[in-house]
Amino acid sequence: MYTANEAQLKAFKKEHAYLKTKLDLGKEILWLTRAECVKAGPSVEETLAIVKDAMIAHGKKEYEMPAKIGIHPFEDVFFHAMPAYVPGKTACGMKWIECFPRNPREYELPQTTGLQIMNDVMTGVPVAVMDCTWLTAMRTPAVTALAAAALHPDAKTFGMFGCGVQGVGHVRFAAKTLKKLERIYIYDKYPECMDRLMEQVRGEVGVPIVKAKSVEEAVESCEVLSSATFIVREPMAIAKKEWVRKGQTILPCDLNTFWEPSIALAADKYIVDSVDEHELFNEMGYFPDGLPKIFCETGEMLAGLKEGRAKRGELIVCSNIGISTNDIAMGQAILSRALEMGIGTKMKL
């Protein structure tokens, strides 16, 4: 539990007064579609700033966020409930998101769908319900890009495994934060996904993008690597330990799925976005070889409380599976701008 300070309490009251000018609090909410979230949403640069603030607040323990709980109707899918309170952003709410990797090919539906509820901190009443897929697609690569810049600022090569929505986002964001980047390698088992990624970032990413012929080629070619595939209990171990070398930075978004578990176990430092969440997933069986010893949380590193890379030759694995403090901070930014712009639909409770 986090107790707000006087300045934060003053901000809560100010926000409550503002919301009363825009909504009949307790009687109506603002509904925001995905398109409206995009219209009101922050840019890449703004997202990086919002997420960095939220991660630093997390590192300083200025938040309340239980580890995400979920349900799993099938082995390869999940629903996650993700509440959070971020006083520094005058934000509280909850994301309810699901991931069904087979949806696009079997049902012509998105892999990820979900909704987010935002609440007034002072009274607790719901003030908005919005699509949460776009903000998820923005906040996730922002964390990877911020961690990559902190752990490996001089990197000249970046590799991305998985070329879906998250893959596109990671390439866009990494190109912003890795200032010395000279080449990006991408790999997906579906060649058309690599082609689509390249088309979507054309004109925005200024460094050459190479379609790797194999996972091994990409691993061996890059200093910084990330993966955004899907999360399953039994590790698929697609990227092998013998391909990895000292001095690399690996930033998985897919927990313990894509990389051979022995890589994280042998890393000089294993950093995570949330200790609580990784320990919960360990209890649920997602680390059958054991949860690696955790050095620190990503937010602690970004806040300067813990040193990330101390030596050039360290192998570092930084696992960021998504924390709701970032989602709620992003949701608050979207809500605030939507109210200013006068977009969204007011609906009776």
Side-chain angles (χ1 to χ4, degrees):
M1 182 175 177
Y2 177 85
T3 302
N5 58 42
E6 289 186 12
Q8 290 167 342
L9 184 58
K10 184 177 180 180
F12 299 164
K13 292 178 178 178
K14 182 178 179 181
E15 177 69 8
H16 171 75
Y18 174 70
L19 289 171
K20 286 179 66 177
T21 69
K22 299 293 184 178
L23 295 166
D24 190 357
L25 290 183
K27 295 182 179 180
E28 64 181 4
I29 59 169
L30 189 69
W31 170 263
L32 291 168
T33 66
R34 184 183 189 279
E36 289 166 338
C37 287
V38 174
K39 186 176 181 179
S43 65
V44 169
E45 291 80 5
E46 290 170 333
T47 296
L48 285 166
I50 292 166
V51 171
K52 185 174 184 179
D53 286 346
M55 291 298 293
I56 289 174
H58 187 274
K60 293 181 175 180
K61 312 305 179 190
E62 296 172 353
Y63 72 95
E64 186 172 356
M65 183 197 80
K68 65 179 73 171
I69 58 172
I71 54 175
H72 310 82
F74 306 101
E75 184 63 29
D76 62 335
V77 309
F78 66 77
F79 294 75
H80 282 157
M82 303 173 64
Y85 163 50
V86 190
K89 292 294 183 181
T90 317
C92 71
M94 186 181 77
K95 183 169 83 167
W96 175 242
I97 192 166
E98 52 277 358
C99 181
F100 279 60
R102 45 196 157 83
N103 270 3
R105 294 184 180 275
E106 294 186 15
Y107 297 100
E108 296 183 351
L109 290 170
Q111 173 175 305
T112 301
T113 55
L115 295 172
Q116 184 158 308
I117 301 171
M118 299 301 298
N119 298 78
D120 172 32
V121 180
M122 283 305 299
T123 65
V125 300
V127 294
V129 177
M130 64 181 70
D131 165 81
C132 69
T133 57
W134 182 80
L135 67 84
T136 300
M138 293 289 280
R139 64 77 153 144
T140 306
V143 175
T144 297
L146 289 165
L151 290 166
H152 218 127
D154 59 347
K156 295 181 179 180
T157 50
F158 174 75
M160 186 66 216
F161 298 105
C163 294
V165 171
Q166 284 298 336
V168 172
H170 275 70
V171 169
R172 292 172 68 211
F173 278 77
K176 294 286 186 182
T177 63
L178 295 175
K179 303 299 184 182
K180 296 185 179 181
L181 206 59
E182 295 179 357
R183 186 167 297 181
I184 295 173
Y185 287 79
I186 60 173
Y187 180 82
D188 195 290
K189 66 178 181 179
Y190 299 109
E192 65 270 22
C193 292
M194 291 191 281
D195 293 334
R196 186 164 57 245
L197 182 153
M198 295 178 74
E199 181 61 33
Q200 288 182 296
V201 302
R202 192 183 307 277
E204 183 178 355
V205 175
V207 297
I209 299 176
V210 178
K211 292 190 289 184
K213 297 181 178 65
S214 65
V215 173
E216 181 178 2
E217 180 192 359
V219 172
E220 293 180 343
S221 299
C222 297
E223 298 162 275
V224 178
L225 296 140
S226 186
S227 57
T229 55
F230 49 89
I231 296 174
V232 292
R233 276 193 179 85
E234 190 64 33
M236 297 182 69
I238 295 170
K240 306 302 181 184
K241 183 181 178 182
E242 59 262 31
W243 304 337
V244 172
R245 64 183 182 275
K246 287 286 189 177
Q248 287 180 306
T249 301
I250 300 173
L251 301 125
C253 299
D254 39 20
L255 200 63
N256 201 34
T257 298
F258 186 79
W259 302 85
E260 193 170 54
S262 57
I263 298 171
L265 290 167
D268 294 293
K269 286 175 181 168
Y270 184 65
I271 300 170
V272 302
D273 53 357
S274 168
V275 171
D276 290 344
E277 291 193 356
H278 279 73
E279 289 179 344
L280 176 62
F281 275 103
N282 184 41
E283 292 171 7
M284 294 167 63
Y286 284 84
F287 290 90
D289 297 287
L291 179 67
K293 181 180 178 181
I294 296 172
F295 174 73
C296 72
E297 291 184 321
T298 309
E300 292 178 307
M301 177 185 65
L302 294 177
L305 301 175
K306 296 284 187 175
E307 185 176 28
R309 181 177 297 281
K311 300 177 183 178
R312 182 176 291 273
E314 287 181 322
L315 171 63
I316 297 179
V317 176
C318 181
S319 174
N320 300 296
I321 57 173
I323 53 177
S324 54
T325 47
N326 295 332
D327 297 306
I328 300 308
M330 284 288 288
Q332 185 65 25
I334 292 169
L335 172 60
S336 295
R337 190 167 294 172
L339 290 171
E340 290 174 10
M341 298 170 67
I343 63 175
T345 304
K346 293 181 181 180
M347 300 178 63
K348 296 295 183 183
L349 281 172

